[in-house]
């Protein structure tokens, strides 16, 4: 059987990438990590990819002579590697429309809050958890969603709540959220690989399973 091929795009520390790699190594996630791409040459994700033995590409407006060059390279790599699913894991750049058209309903992103809360432009990294603490939220969470043309507005696939203790620091909230990201992103990728998520039929009514909003039937 053909392996299910994924490409991961990251800009920062790469802990979500590492979690995917760990689950591939353990045999729980049966996909082939074809490549990791970063716009940031110093992203730890590139080193993690090399250590694992996957192709690692630094692709930016600087290396490609502008954004159109980045778009062209990305499309070429998707084709060359036969990518089935593009996994954004802390990728700070907007996804070009041509890439979304090349992989319809096959680009996923993870966001460290319960969208639509704390989403959209300006909500990234520590700013999100600082806002959660400032607004005295009793919980926050993780959202995994399909990527569309608008920041953080694609179809939600999976959400999990993370409680916020009174007086918790933004750093502590961030650590708790990141731990949940690692616990669930690989399961969503596995759901794609196993065909649980079918492009076009992912939309549906959320089912609240004890604080867990599950959009994908059969995902555990
Ligand atoms: C994560 O919090 C993710 O939700 C957000 O960017 C962060 C990436 O962290 N989109 P890492 O690079 O995977 O450690």
């Amino acid at each position: 059987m053909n392996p299910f091929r994924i490409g991961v795009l990251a800009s920062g520390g790469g802990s979500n990438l590492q979690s995917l790699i760990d689950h591939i190594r353990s045999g729980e996630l049966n996909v082939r990590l074809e490549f990791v791409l970063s716009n940031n040459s110093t992203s730890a994700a590139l080193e993690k990819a090399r250590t694992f033995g996957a192709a690692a590409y630094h692709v930016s407006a600087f290396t490609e002579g502008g954004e159109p060059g980045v778009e062209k390279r990305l499309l070429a790599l998707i084709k060359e590697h036969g990518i089935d699913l593009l996994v954004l894991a802390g990728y700070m750049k907007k996804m070009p429309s041509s890439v979304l058209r090349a992989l319809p309903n096959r680009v996923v992103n993870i966001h460290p809050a319960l969208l639509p809360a704390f989403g959209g432009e300006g909500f990234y990294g520590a700013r999100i958890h600082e806002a959660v603490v400032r607004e005295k939220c009793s919980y926050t969470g993780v959202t995994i969603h399909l990527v569309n043309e608008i920041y953080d507005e694609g179809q939600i696939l999976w959400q999990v709540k993370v409680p916020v203790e009174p007086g918790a620091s933004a750093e502590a909230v961030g650590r708790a959220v990141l731990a949940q990201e690692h616990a669930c992103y690989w399961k969503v990728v596995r759901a794609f690989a196993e065909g649980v998520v079918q492009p076009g039929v992912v939309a549906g009514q959320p089912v609240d399973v004890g604080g867990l909003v599950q959009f994908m039937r059969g995902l555990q």
Side-chain angles (χ1 to χ4, degrees), residues 10-18 43 45 88-92 109-113 125 128-129 142-143 174 177-178 181-182:
S11 302
S15 69
N16 275 290
L17 167 68
Q18 189 59 53
S43 168
L88 310 192
Y91 187 61
M92 301 294 281
N109 183 43
I110 188 160
H111 186 80
I128 296 174
H129 311 303
V142 175
T143 301
V177 168
L178 196 58
E181 294 185 39
H182 300 160

Side-chain angles (χ1 to χ4, degrees), residues 131-154:
V132 165
V133 166
R134 200 166 48 241
E135 296 193 17
K136 300 194 184 342
C137 299
S138 58
Y139 62 86
T140 178
V142 175
T143 301
I144 296 167
H145 63 94
L146 291 176
V147 175
N148 68 11
E149 311 275 341
I150 309 166
Y151 267 118
D152 299 334
E153 285 199 11

Side-chain angles (χ1 to χ4, degrees), residues 74-96:
L74 198 47
L75 283 168
L77 288 172
I78 288 167
K79 200 163 169 211
E80 184 187 315
H81 286 273
I83 292 302
D84 295 303
L85 180 72
L86 209 53
V87 180
L88 310 192
Y91 187 61
M92 301 294 281
K93 291 284 177 182
K94 198 159 165 39
M95 206 38 52

Side-chain angles (χ1 to χ4, degrees), residues 191-202:
F192 274 92
E194 291 180 349
V196 174
V197 184
Q198 302 282 344
V201 289
V202 289

Side-chain angles (χ1 to χ4, degrees), residues 120-133:
E121 249 174 303
F123 277 120
Y124 58 87
R127 289 176 184 217
I128 296 174
H129 311 303
E130 281 157 13
V132 165
V133 166

